[in-house]
Amino acid sequence: MLLRVENLRTTFHTRTGVIRAVDGVDLEIAEGRTLGIVGESGSGKSVTALSIMRLIEAPGRVLGDSRIMFDGRDLAALPEAEMQEVRGNAISMIFQEPMTSLNPVYTAGSQITEAIRLHRKISARQARDRAVELLGLVGIPSPEQRFFAYPHQLSGGMRQRVMIAMALACEPRLLIADEPTTALDVTVQAQILESLRELRARLGMSIILITHDLGVVAEMCDDVAVMYAGRVVERGAVEAIFRNPQHPYTEALLRSIPLLGMTQAEPLKVIPGKVPSALNWPPGCRFAARCDHATERCRREEPPLVEGKEGRAACWLRTPRLRSCGEGVLHA
């Protein structure tokens, strides 16, 4: 296993109290596979990614009993100097908004070469040639010219491709992509996802893809982890979870997907209520207040993430009635 996350807990100390943004997350990803992390806004997806990268800053912190095992080393316990050797080298990240992630006063090429020279002992000329090669690799036309372009001179899709080129500069073993197609039009989204798929096949890297789009998960991922209220509530192979969801929250997410053939008269199926506050998680199952099937036990006892026939789920109500709701979604 390339990456195994155990009991990841990340908190933020604020004036109103302690926010437990990530509260006991368990994840794993094997070599060469793509793991999708899905869930509503506020479920803890991005904080999980930043915690793996050790990019949580005060007033936030990853608690001491968290374990982030990467290639046999616990990243949570590494000194910052050693973590800097891992970050951007063995593990890279594509951030959600490229316009704020790229430095506006430096050219795209100079930012890529900086990432290369930080971890590789090569000349400035070699780094420049490698940056131009990477710009071409991610599908940017006329890469020699775009090397000298500033972020504001590039379209949203091109800026996102520059971010991908920076992340791939040192050929990482693990790439974390946090909502890589947010705010891009549908055509550009498809191009970015296709680029990621081709690069994974070419470089043999693993990918963690954070998204709220289940259609992207069905298209891109081998495995999926469903997050809700700071925890993983279901985890398993994509096809199995789409065909046979074991948690009511996963079931509700799948039912909320608009399908081809729907008419304007048909209302979208929404999940009632909202994610509870991370300042004060409720007792028992955190989805119980929004779940049509919740029992008194659900409201009182928190279910563990347990192994089943086709993955893991944290639900006291794992019954055959949930098996049919995801049928057809993959091919809709």
Side-chain angles (χ1 to χ4, degrees):
M1 198 63 61
L2 180 64
L3 175 73
R4 177 176 284 108
V5 176
E6 299 174 355
N7 194 37
L8 179 62
R9 296 191 298 140
T10 304
T11 60
F12 295 85
H13 288 258
T14 69
R15 292 180 179 178
T16 54
V18 178
I19 297 174
R20 293 183 289 154
V22 174
D23 195 28
V25 163
D26 296 324
L27 293 172
E28 59 184 34
I29 181 170
E31 293 268 9
R33 293 182 71 84
T34 298
L35 170 69
I37 301 180
V38 299
E40 293 170 275
S41 297
S43 61
K45 306 184 301 296
S46 294
V47 176
T48 296
L50 292 171
S51 299
I52 292 171
M53 294 289 290
R54 289 268 303 274
L55 291 174
I56 300 294
E57 297 182 349
R61 67 188 186 102
V62 177
L63 299 188
D65 55 349
S66 305
R67 298 188 71 197
I68 308 170
M69 302 302 300
F70 177 75
D71 199 24
R73 292 194 293 174
D74 186 0
L75 302 185
L78 281 186
E80 178 58 24
E82 292 185 38
M83 189 62 205
Q84 288 179 6
E85 290 297 316
V86 174
R87 193 186 298 126
N89 189 17
I91 306 177
S92 288
M93 186 167 178
I94 303 170
F95 295 93
Q96 191 169 133
E97 178 44 64
M99 195 60 202
T100 56
S101 300
L102 293 171
N103 192 319
V105 301
Y106 290 98
T107 65
S110 66
Q111 294 184 63
I112 299 172
T113 55
E114 181 184 17
I116 296 170
R117 299 196 72 188
L118 186 64
H119 297 286
R120 297 287 187 269
K121 294 180 179 180
I122 60 177
S123 67
R125 177 67 187 184
Q126 289 173 316
R128 181 189 178 283
D129 291 344
R130 173 62 175 159
V132 170
E133 179 188 354
L134 286 165
L135 289 172
L137 186 67
V138 298
I140 290 181
S142 305
E144 296 86 357
Q145 297 176 21
R146 300 296 181 185
F147 179 93
F148 298 102
Y150 289 89
H152 72 274
Q153 296 174 314
L154 302 171
S155 67
M158 283 193 180
R159 288 195 295 266
Q160 192 61 284
R161 291 175 190 275
V162 171
M163 288 294 298
I164 295 173
M166 289 177 63
L168 297 177
C170 296
E171 299 185 357
R173 297 179 64 191
L174 174 63
L175 177 67
I176 302 175
D178 186 5
E179 301 275 9
T181 58
T182 295
L184 300 178
D185 64 60
V186 175
T187 302
V188 177
Q189 284 186 33
Q191 293 171 350
I192 295 293
L193 293 174
E194 182 61 28
S195 294
L196 287 175
R197 189 185 295 108
E198 291 176 357
L199 291 166
R200 184 189 75 164
R202 187 181 305 181
L203 302 176
M205 63 185 176
S206 302
I207 297 176
I208 294 178
L209 179 63
I210 298 171
T211 182
H212 63 274
D213 190 332
L214 287 166
V216 170
V217 171
E219 182 182 352
M220 288 287 297
C221 300
D222 303 301
D223 307 291
V224 61
V226 182
M227 286 192 67
Y228 183 79
R231 304 204 68 182
V232 173
V233 296
E234 185 163 3
R235 198 177 82 200
V238 165
E239 187 174 346
I241 286 181
F242 273 62
R243 184 185 68 250
N244 183 18
Q246 296 293 300
H247 196 283
Y249 179 60
T250 311
E251 176 187 17
L253 286 176
L254 291 170
R255 284 180 173 169
S256 68
I257 299 174
L259 301 176
L260 291 175
M262 289 182 67
T263 66
Q264 292 184 347
E266 295 179 78
L268 287 174
K269 296 179 180 179
V270 299
I271 306 174
K274 60 182 181 179
V275 180
S277 171
L279 282 167
N280 186 25
W281 295 128
C285 175
R286 295 172 185 180
F287 187 63
R290 307 173 71 187
C291 181
D292 295 333
H293 316 291
T295 66
E296 187 57 36
R297 185 186 188 188
C298 299
R299 298 182 182 92
R300 187 179 63 251
E301 300 178 38
E302 186 170 8
L305 189 68
V306 296
E307 188 74 48
K309 291 182 179 179
E310 295 184 300
R312 294 173 176 265
C315 181
W316 297 121
L317 303 169
R318 299 177 65 187
T319 63
R321 65 171 174 76
L322 294 176
R323 291 182 181 172
S324 62
C325 66
E327 290 180 0
V329 175
L330 280 169
H331 308 290

